[in-house]
Amino acid sequence: MGLRVMFAGVDDIAIVGEAADGEQAAARAAEHRPDVVLLDIRMPVMDGLAATVLLRALAEPPAIIILTTFNPDEYVLRALAHGAAGFLLKDTPPTDIVAAVRRVAAGEPVLSPAVTQQLISRALAPPSAAADTRVRARARLERLAPREYDVALAVGQGRTNAEIAARLYMSVPTVKAHVSSILAKLDVTNRVQVALIVHDAGPDAPPAGAAPGT
């Protein structure tokens, strides 16, 4: 009800459906085809993480924002790995939630500051665990052609398509084509997941020209 009241005064956002649990959310999303879905983590019947998997498997999957009071590392990482484009805590100011809906609808990732801090802390994991993660991430990036690799690195820096186009001297449609190819080759569904892989690969990953790709 609070979300409905909040969005009622926003001209460019319309609520097309509500659901009591994750299972209903998937069914109603298939029916109404929303651009963005807000999910909680803990819901009856099916939780938000399982619902994220179902929603992202739809023929026209919506962008998903997890909006919850729970933010342990396992929830954040699983949500992003399953395809969520954003992870916000319920103490996020209403104006920021509205802005987040607009951003994920435009293809940009959104994370609460506390969640961003968790991901930074993850980078400070024990050396052995970090080394294993780095090896796996680099192996995935090796699937990319050199130019795709450059675009992936820019996505990992949080740059928009327009910023990437200007930085790499490409047209925006070319950047979009590269991003689509990157998502397919890395077997991920959104830019947040690409950024996580780039982050895990580390700042001293091989230069773009060294990525073998095809």
Side-chain angles (χ1 to χ4, degrees):
M1 185 179 296
L3 289 172
R4 177 175 282 281
V5 170
M6 182 179 68
F7 286 119
V10 181
D11 293 337
D12 59 337
I13 297 176
I15 297 177
V16 297
E18 298 178 35
D21 56 62
E23 192 172 80
Q24 283 187 14
R28 292 185 181 176
E31 177 185 357
H32 297 294
R33 294 185 294 180
D35 297 303
V36 178
V37 171
L38 295 176
L39 291 175
D40 201 343
I41 289 286
R42 294 188 180 178
M43 296 185 291
V45 183
M46 178 184 292
D47 67 25
L49 296 176
T52 296
V53 175
L54 286 184
L55 287 164
R56 292 302 303 172
L58 293 174
E60 297 181 41
I64 297 169
I65 296 175
I66 301 294
L67 180 63
T68 185
T69 55
F70 305 98
N71 69 324
D73 286 353
E74 61 178 293
Y75 287 153
V76 175
L77 296 177
R78 285 175 61 194
L80 298 178
H82 290 334
F87 198 110
L88 301 177
L89 302 182
K90 287 187 176 177
D91 61 0
T92 301
T95 54
D96 289 349
I97 295 176
V98 172
V101 170
R102 293 188 179 118
R103 287 179 59 187
V104 299
E108 298 179 35
V110 177
L111 299 174
S112 283
V115 173
T116 301
Q117 184 59 50
Q118 284 181 265
L119 295 180
I120 292 172
S121 298
R122 181 171 175 247
L124 304 177
S128 59
D132 290 342
T133 299
R134 187 178 302 113
V135 168
R136 289 194 297 270
R138 291 183 178 185
R140 296 181 75 177
L141 290 177
E142 287 177 356
R143 304 172 190 173
L144 305 179
R147 208 57 171 156
E148 293 169 346
Y149 192 100
D150 292 339
V151 172
L153 293 183
V155 169
Q157 295 166 353
R159 300 184 186 279
T160 65
N161 287 345
E163 290 170 339
I164 296 172
R167 186 180 181 85
L168 299 180
Y169 304 103
M170 299 178 178
S171 67
V172 171
T174 298
V175 173
K176 290 181 178 178
H178 281 317
V179 170
S180 295
S181 180
I182 290 166
L183 295 178
K185 288 186 178 182
L186 297 183
D187 192 26
V188 296
T189 58
N190 63 51
R191 299 166 78 100
V192 174
Q193 293 167 299
V194 174
L196 285 173
I197 293 171
V198 169
H199 173 271
D200 288 343
D204 57 342
T214 54

